[in-house]
Amino acid sequence: MIQFRIQPDSEIPASAQLFNQLRFAIASGQYPPGYKLPSTRALAMQTSLHRNTISKVYRQLEEEGFVESLAGSGIYVRSQGHEGGSRLQSPILKQYPEAYKVVQQALDDLLGQGCSLNQARELFLAEVDWRLRCSARVLVVAPSQDIGAGELMADELEESLQIPVQLVAMEELIGVLDQTTSATLVTSRYFIGEVEAITALKAVRVIPLDIHDYGKELNVVKSLPKAICIGIVSLSPGILRATEVILHGLRGDELLVMTSQPKDTYKLHAIIKRSEIIFCTDQVSYLNTQETIQTVLEELIRPPKLIRCENYIGSLSINLLKRELGLT
């Protein structure tokens, strides 16, 4: 153990003497990166300084980036530049080899802006803590007039994320947020502007979801012969309206397009009897249409072909949300 000596009759304050000796021990490599500094008790016994004085010196070393404090463990010499150190042996860093560079760059940027290492740590921990708290409650938001889109998102998220989610009508969102301190709100990009306006002063995260591009389904529509009827069944009236516009732009008046929600029995029967092919945007619509076909099967010359569309939410959005919620 290095022997630190304090000259009581020196004009240099005792704390400055100890600070300079510790800094020299670090700079000269006697205390290498990852080395655990002596406890305040041990150093007090060696130098006859008060433990509060030693703690102050340690804090100064930490603020200037020489050491770092690990809660419940002690104070360690901080790695400088790319020299490595004990933290590089972390299994997490072995799994994500670029992570150290990302963290290092972020810390360097904060220190360059004038933050101390302690302040930088507080910023990181505050952000991580906030995200964890927000991730504990996931709300799916959609307007009342298109709550079907919200049902679509909620069903798919519960299945993909394997966590409970809560569906909230946009008009009721303020009341729900008044009862919680943190949450993660997810919604379609169709509704993101309205949701962000409502949550502007709330401590919540808002994450937009991209919908599936329906490339396979559109290719099927492009290949269909003229003058046939196709049906679209969906929980979401918004999807039905958008689909009609898209298909008209794609094929003009070449195709007859009929739409219905699964609970609209009259329209659904009409679609089944008239259409040659029916696209269902969700599992509920698919099963409902399938069951309805069976009930009117004897009235049909030829049952329509049923196509279950891909998920409403795009796979990239699902993966992003998993990462944001700490599920991967």
Side-chain angles (χ1 to χ4, degrees):
M1 181 178 179
I2 298 174
Q3 295 298 312
F4 298 102
R5 291 183 173 80
I6 304 301
Q7 299 293 333
D9 56 351
S10 172
E11 295 181 356
I12 302 174
S15 60
Q17 293 183 51
L18 179 59
F19 175 80
N20 287 329
Q21 290 181 58
L22 283 166
R23 188 168 59 173
F24 176 79
I26 294 170
S28 63
Q30 296 178 74
Y31 280 177
Y35 184 89
K36 184 178 180 180
L37 268 60
S39 67
T40 55
R41 178 186 295 275
L43 210 49
M45 293 178 62
Q46 182 186 147
T47 62
S48 299
L49 294 176
H50 195 281
R51 290 177 66 182
N52 287 344
T53 300
I54 297 170
S55 294
K56 178 182 176 182
V57 171
Y58 279 1
R59 284 196 299 273
Q60 185 179 357
L61 286 169
E62 186 169 15
E63 288 172 357
E64 296 194 18
F66 292 100
V67 300
E68 58 186 349
S69 175
L70 300 181
S73 178
I75 297 176
Y76 295 81
V77 176
R78 178 176 175 266
S79 299
Q80 303 289 335
H82 297 274
E83 64 189 354
S86 60
R87 87 181 86 182
L88 290 180
Q89 304 306 312
S90 166
I92 297 176
L93 291 176
K94 289 181 179 179
Q95 185 178 359
Y96 304 103
E98 296 299 313
Y100 177 70
K101 295 179 182 179
V102 174
V103 173
Q104 185 183 54
Q105 183 61 54
L107 281 174
D108 288 344
D109 289 344
L110 289 172
L111 294 174
Q113 295 177 33
C115 287
S116 69
L117 198 58
N118 264 338
Q119 291 171 326
R121 180 177 60 182
E122 287 181 19
L123 289 172
F124 273 105
L125 291 178
E127 177 67 15
V128 171
D129 180 64
W130 179 67
R131 291 195 181 196
L132 288 174
R133 284 188 287 108
C134 287
S135 299
R137 188 178 187 188
V138 179
L139 307 179
V140 173
V141 184
S144 295
Q145 70 267 23
D146 199 1
I147 202 66
E151 293 175 10
L152 270 175
M153 290 186 282
D155 289 345
E156 290 185 8
L157 289 178
E158 285 200 336
E159 181 180 350
S160 299
L161 305 179
Q162 295 296 300
I163 61 171
V165 302
Q166 179 183 353
L167 175 59
V168 178
M170 195 178 300
E171 295 79 0
E172 301 171 3
L173 184 56
I174 282 292
V176 172
L177 294 182
D178 285 341
Q179 305 301 315
T180 187
T181 57
S182 55
T184 295
L185 275 58
V186 294
T187 189
S188 165
R189 287 195 188 275
Y190 281 114
F191 317 129
I192 189 66
E194 297 167 88
V195 174
E196 286 184 330
I198 293 172
T199 60
L201 300 178
K202 299 294 183 178
V204 295
R205 283 194 302 172
V206 180
I207 299 178
L209 298 175
D210 293 316
I211 65 173
H212 176 64
D213 63 11
Y214 296 103
K216 293 180 181 178
E217 294 79 6
L218 290 175
N219 284 334
V220 171
V221 172
K222 290 177 184 178
S223 66
L224 293 175
K226 297 180 181 180
I228 74 167
C229 177
I230 65 173
I232 311 293
V233 184
S234 176
L235 282 169
S236 167
I239 290 177
L240 295 177
R241 290 192 297 270
T243 301
E244 283 191 276
V245 173
I246 292 170
L247 295 185
H248 182 76
L250 190 66
R251 295 294 303 266
D253 296 326
E254 294 178 348
L255 305 175
L256 174 62
V257 179
M258 300 178 68
T259 64
S260 173
Q261 290 185 269
K263 294 181 180 179
D264 191 330
T265 305
Y266 178 80
K267 284 188 175 181
L268 188 56
H269 278 164
I271 287 176
I272 290 172
K273 292 177 180 180
R274 183 71 186 275
S275 302
E276 295 182 39
I277 184 170
I278 300 176
F279 295 93
C280 299
T281 68
D282 53 88
Q283 185 70 2
V284 172
S285 296
Y286 180 78
L287 293 176
N288 197 298
T289 304
Q290 196 175 49
E291 291 174 3
T292 305
I293 288 175
Q294 294 302 314
T295 65
V296 297
L297 196 57
E298 294 182 357
E299 304 174 31
L300 303 176
I301 299 175
R302 184 176 62 183
K305 178 182 179 181
L306 274 186
I307 295 181
R308 166 70 164 93
C309 298
E310 297 281 353
N311 285 351
Y312 176 65
I313 305 172
S315 58
L316 291 179
S317 282
I318 291 289
N319 292 334
L320 172 63
L321 192 56
K322 285 181 178 179
R323 291 197 299 271
E324 289 292 328
L325 296 175
L327 300 176
T328 56

